[in-house]
Amino acid sequence: MSSRHRARRSEGDRVARAEQKQNTRRALLDAALRLLAHQSFDSLSLREVTREVGIVPTAFYRHFSTMEELGLVLVDESFRTMRRLVRAVREEPLPQDQLIRRSVQAFTAYVRAHRSYFQFVARERFGGVDAIRGAIRNEIRLFVSELATDLARLPPLEAWSTQDLQMLASLIVGAMTSVVEQLVDLPSRSADAEADIIRVAERQLRLIVLGVPHFRGARREAEPPASLGDGLDAEP
Amino acid sequence: MSSRHRARRSEGDRVARAEQKQNTRRALLDAALRLLAHQSFDSLSLREVTREVGIVPTAFYRHFSTMEELGLVLVDESFRTMRRLVRAVREEPLPQDQLIRRSVQAFTAYVRAHRSYFQFVARERFGGVDAIRGAIRNEIRLFVSELATDLARLPPLEAWSTQDLQMLASLIVGAMTSVVEQLVDLPSRSADAEADIIRVAERQLRLIVLGVPHFRGARREAEPPASLGDGLDAEP
DNA sequence: TGTACATCAGTGAACGCGCGTTCACTGATGTAC
DNA sequence: TGTACATCAGTGAACGCGCGTTCACTGATGTAC
């Protein structure tokens, strides 16, 4: 158990010191992420993390000076991971009629594959540790802005103002956030429930998109859309 | 300081025992809520709460058998509070053309007035304590269902299936959740920032509503809406 | 190549502290007569 | 109404425990010659 780490390797088993240090650092981050599946960050102790890795508590300080520092690295890794996803979706050719379906599929597959990161971010986004909550919200703000920029390239949104694109992007991110909440709480192998969640998410996005051509200010130069009369609300 | 509580009152100052017990219980709940503005529930200790109230730690057990029990009472109170809001909005006459504006105003005013409850729920919804997280999610599910029922009464949604109404309701609740997140984090007196958040929220709801008459299956018997051709997506 | 010294990841004992919970208690409030 | 006893919200000492952090240490890896 405590022999999982570097300790006292015999010859032939030698590992460069720097490499071993990286391995232990990685093990600390992974152990924390694993433990955070069942507790909040500010109740996670340094001793729990080192115990999980199989090293002595004081060894922690060779890698991080506080738990908060470790937590901020996890935030950074989480969003690096998420940006990779968005870049992949963005660089694919865009089959307009399948955009929503493909994006939701890519997103949910990604959440499944990186579940513990998403769970961590979802939880600590409202968590009790100021520095970590702040870092997450900052990343989400950046993420919404990037999505807004991507959306600007789609033909139906060409004429939209930056402000309205942000509004739309944050609505989409909000909807996806609640998808994440549902997905990370699912027992690992319940494909049916997952399919339901995905279907609802697709419909929500589709509903949003259907409102786009009719949105006030969306096409300032064109005549107003025809079928607005039976809407629920009007611009004051 | 420790004389804030019942201890050793002189004559004339007498209070019924049951009433005093209620006061202390209330003080424990309020103190917890106050402390939870800056930390997560599973890092909040029994001793912190009693210290805040000004009683000895062991007195806690006269009111709750565990901190978790206290937390569940807070969840219950939070949603009782929220249901009261919805009932108030529902029972008002409905000026269709102002429905969104009025609802958003009522909602944000309510969040401001009960900020600590909303902050608690937002945080513990993803929190580390299973029982509390479960209770919150259950309440939210009920809340979405109630909203779906209310929505069913609106003329443009008459023909919608229960399933699609749930989808719509959860989209709306998701959007309002992100409004809560932004509001509770605002410094107490920044009216401008609050007005911005409210304006964006109104637009998001308006955008959703604009999609409603065009949603697949929404009006199964009628001819399809005219302006769908330029949508971003199509039904597969 | 071998030798002598430097580096430093991980060790283990020790510390003071806040925690939840136990227990026997106190004294004001409540009740029976 | 007064008196004698029961109730019970809050007290205070004590406990064992896990915590973060300090410190001097060990011994394998790395480097200079």
Side-chain angles (χ1 to χ4, degrees), chain A residues 99-156:
Chain A
L99 184 57
I100 286 177
R101 167 160 294 243
R102 294 265 175 104
S103 300
V104 171
Q105 295 288 352
F107 181 68
T108 54
Y110 209 77
V111 172
R112 211 184 306 120
H114 299 81
R115 181 167 161 159
S116 49
Y117 279 108
F118 281 90
Q119 191 163 2
F120 165 69
V121 168
R123 180 166 290 173
E124 298 309 322
R125 179 187 180 205
F126 295 91
V129 181
D130 287 4
I132 289 178
R133 195 180 60 240
I136 290 176
R137 299 207 170 171
N138 200 42
E139 293 279 6
I140 290 178
R141 227 174 331 111
L142 284 175
F143 190 80
V144 168
S145 286
E146 284 172 28
L147 178 58
T149 305
D150 285 348
L151 290 172
R153 295 205 197 89
L154 298 173

Side-chain angles (χ1 to χ4, degrees), chain A residues 37-43 95-101 119 122-130 133 137 140 154-157 160-161 163-164 166-172 174-175 177-178 180-182 184-185 199-216 219 225-228 230-236, chain B residues 37-43 95-101 119 122-130 133 137 140 154-157 160-161 163-164 166-172 174-175 177-178 180-182 184-185 199-216 219 225-228 230-236:
Chain A
H38 301 292
Q39 61 190 300
S40 69
F41 187 82
D42 74 346
S43 80
Q96 285 267 15
D97 63 335
Q98 291 276 310
L99 184 57
I100 286 177
R101 167 160 294 243
Q119 191 163 2
R123 180 166 290 173
E124 298 309 322
R125 179 187 180 205
F126 295 91
V129 181
D130 287 4
R133 195 180 60 240
R137 299 207 170 171
I140 290 178
L154 298 173
L157 295 167
W160 279 40
S161 68
Q163 186 178 291
D164 283 339
Q166 289 273 340
M167 177 280 287
L168 176 58
S170 86
L171 181 59
I172 292 172
T177 299
S178 81
V180 170
E181 174 193 352
Q182 296 168 66
V184 298
D185 259 23
R199 187 148 19 84
V200 170
E202 284 178 8
R203 285 191 193 167
Q204 290 180 337
L205 290 183
R206 202 167 285 134
L207 175 60
I208 292 170
V209 158
L210 287 171
V212 164
H214 306 280
F215 189 68
R216 162 213 71 86
R219 335 184 129 234
S227 55
L228 196 57
D230 54 356
L232 281 167
D233 204 348
E235 186 66 9
Chain B
H38 300 292
Q39 60 192 299
S40 69
F41 188 83
D42 73 346
S43 79
Q96 285 268 16
D97 62 336
Q98 291 276 309
L99 184 57
I100 286 178
R101 167 159 296 244
Q119 191 163 0
R123 181 165 288 173
E124 299 309 322
R125 179 187 180 206
F126 294 91
V129 182
D130 287 4
R133 194 179 62 241
R137 299 206 171 171
I140 290 178
L154 298 173
L157 295 167
W160 279 41
S161 68
Q163 185 178 292
D164 283 338
Q166 288 274 340
M167 177 280 288
L168 176 58
S170 86
L171 181 59
I172 292 171
T177 298
S178 79
V180 170
E181 174 193 352
Q182 295 168 67
V184 297
D185 257 24
R199 186 150 19 85
V200 170
E202 284 178 9
R203 286 191 191 165
Q204 291 180 336
L205 290 184
R206 203 167 284 131
L207 175 60
I208 293 170
V209 158
L210 287 171
V212 163
H214 306 279
F215 190 68
R216 164 211 70 84
R219 329 180 137 240
S227 55
L228 196 58
D230 54 356
L232 281 166
D233 205 349
E235 186 67 9

Side-chain angles (χ1 to χ4, degrees), chain B residues 81-82 84-92 98-114 118 176 179-180 183 194 198 201-202 205:
Chain B
T81 264
M82 223 158 337
R84 212 180 306 140
L85 161 70
V86 172
R87 206 174 312 127
V89 170
R90 183 194 298 140
E91 280 166 8
E92 253 184 35
Q98 291 276 309
L99 184 57
I100 286 178
R101 167 159 296 244
R102 294 264 176 103
S103 300
V104 170
Q105 295 287 351
F107 181 68
T108 54
Y110 209 77
V111 172
R112 212 184 306 117
H114 300 81
F118 280 91
M176 290 306 101
V179 169
V180 170
L183 287 179
E194 193 180 305
I198 292 175
E202 284 178 9
L205 290 184

